[in-house]
Amino acid sequence: MKRKIRVGSRDSKLAVMQTELVMEAIRRADPEIELELITLKTTGDMILDKTLDKIGGKGLFVKELDQALMDGRIDLAVHSLKDMPMEINEELPIVACAKRGDPRDVLVLPKGAKPGSYYLVKVGSSSPRRQLQLQILYPIIHLESVRGNIMTRLKKLDDGEYSALVLAAAGLQRVGLQERIYKYFSTDEIIPAAGQGILAVQARKDLDVAFLEQVNDPTTALAATAERSFVRTLDGGCSSPIAAHAVIQDSELRLKGLYYREETQDYSIGETSGPAERAEKLGEELALRLKEELGG
């Protein structure tokens, strides 16, 4: 008999499509596994009139799925890693990271808009990380908060509520809307969120997940470890404009990070590099160095 695995996902179009990408990878790795998709609406998806820091942070996108895992209603949960809390949950570990998609942020204009002085008008972004770096790039930019899933945000843009949006490239690409992208920001212009572009698989600690071995991409997992270690060391949540991006080449990991000290409203950007197997320590060391630079 085939082994049946129930896979949990948020119920947004993007979340479901991303989960289906992981499910297809599992099917390719082990055709003997039968998969069932179960979608759940999370608190973070339902409360759209407040910024995340006002309603409880990133955990609101995973709480319902975490509970479903603990209750045994699902066996796996698939998340965008950047939406997961940085704290390590020993009961519900991250057991696989699929090969990373595009980590960059992008600028999106309304349908039919003619490129022009887009940065001088109302740009929608609820991410403090993006807001800080956009203001560095374009000091006179006017930013407004925007919440909702990717389709909701695009509708608000096209309805004239915003002149432009800044979104994650990977999300638009995965739902087939890459033609909406007007400009890609390099990872030096806007350092991505830790885990951006990465799909993570979470499970109960007692589940046999050997079938995920071919789904997991070790290079992506090490990059994620360094980025999340950096943010975790700085105790950065959704209200703090902390950013981290790691690249691995020939077993060498290069990590770039941004630390913002809220007390003084100063920020520091730095880099470090070293053997990829030291990913967690490299993230921690860079975080402590930037913190010391700002007197933290």
Side-chain angles (χ1 to χ4, degrees):
M1 291 181 63
K2 285 190 174 183
R3 181 183 180 188
K4 185 173 182 178
I5 298 291
R6 295 159 299 174
V7 185
S9 168
R10 290 163 60 184
D11 70 350
S12 72
K13 179 178 180 179
L14 174 59
V16 169
M17 293 182 78
Q18 292 186 147
T19 299
E20 287 174 341
L21 289 174
V22 174
M23 292 171 68
E24 185 54 38
I26 294 173
R27 291 187 185 101
R28 288 196 302 269
D30 191 341
E32 294 303 309
I33 289 182
E34 179 184 343
L35 299 175
E36 178 186 0
L37 175 63
I38 296 176
T39 61
L40 296 171
K41 189 173 288 292
T42 69
T43 304
D45 293 314
M46 291 185 282
I47 304 176
L48 301 178
D49 59 344
K50 298 182 177 66
T51 57
L52 287 179
D53 58 304
K54 300 289 194 300
I55 57 175
K58 290 178 181 289
L60 295 180
F61 289 120
V62 304
K63 184 172 66 173
E64 284 78 7
L65 288 162
D66 281 357
Q67 192 60 54
L69 281 169
M70 295 301 294
D71 293 345
R73 287 177 282 144
I74 59 175
D75 303 300
L76 303 176
V78 176
H79 300 281
S80 290
L81 185 58
K82 72 181 181 69
D83 292 332
M84 297 185 72
M86 297 297 156
E87 298 79 13
I88 296 172
N89 188 332
E90 301 290 350
E91 296 299 315
L92 301 173
I94 295 171
V95 292
C97 290
K99 185 175 177 61
R100 189 172 212 158
D102 194 326
R104 294 175 293 178
D105 288 301
V106 298
L107 187 81
V108 180
L109 302 182
K111 279 185 178 177
K114 294 180 179 179
S117 300
Y118 55 82
Y119 53 87
L120 298 178
V121 289
K122 187 177 176 182
V123 178
S125 173
S126 293
S127 161
R129 171 191 64 85
R130 287 175 179 147
Q131 290 176 351
L132 173 65
Q133 294 183 90
L134 284 165
Q135 286 172 329
I136 294 170
L137 287 172
Y138 309 117
I140 56 176
I141 195 171
H142 179 63
L143 292 160
E144 291 279 346
S145 177
V146 57
R147 288 285 319 280
N149 62 46
I150 196 168
M151 305 310 293
T152 299
R153 294 187 191 200
L154 288 174
K155 185 177 187 307
K156 290 179 179 180
L157 173 67
D158 293 336
D159 286 347
E161 292 185 43
Y162 301 89
S163 300
L165 296 177
V166 178
L167 300 170
L172 288 164
Q173 291 165 356
R174 285 169 180 154
V175 295
L177 291 173
Q178 55 266 35
E179 75 278 358
R180 295 298 307 265
I181 297 171
Y182 169 66
K183 172 183 170 61
Y184 286 86
F185 293 101
S186 73
T187 57
D188 289 322
E189 289 177 308
I190 299 183
I191 305 170
Q196 186 156 307
I198 299 175
L199 300 180
V201 184
Q202 191 179 23
R204 289 184 304 279
K205 67 176 182 179
D206 59 349
L207 184 71
D208 178 4
V209 293
F211 64 94
L212 291 173
E213 185 176 349
Q214 294 181 54
V215 176
N216 183 61
D217 182 69
T219 299
T220 297
L222 284 169
T225 296
E227 293 167 10
R228 287 169 62 81
S229 172
F230 175 85
V231 179
R232 190 164 55 247
T233 301
L234 294 172
D235 194 28
C238 60
S239 63
S240 180
I242 291 175
H245 181 239
V247 176
I248 298 175
Q249 188 171 13
D250 298 328
S251 301
E252 183 85 351
L253 185 147
R254 182 173 60 85
L255 175 67
K256 185 171 186 177
L258 179 153
Y259 169 55
Y260 177 81
R261 190 177 179 200
E262 296 187 33
E263 296 91 334
T264 59
Q265 297 186 349
D266 292 328
Y267 69 89
S268 181
I269 295 173
E271 292 188 37
T272 191
S273 61
E277 63 265 22
R278 294 190 68 244
E280 183 144 5
K281 199 66 179 173
L282 288 169
E284 180 183 336
E285 289 169 355
L286 180 60
L288 293 175
R289 171 156 61 85
L290 296 187
K291 192 172 185 178
E292 185 177 0
E293 286 178 7
L294 293 186

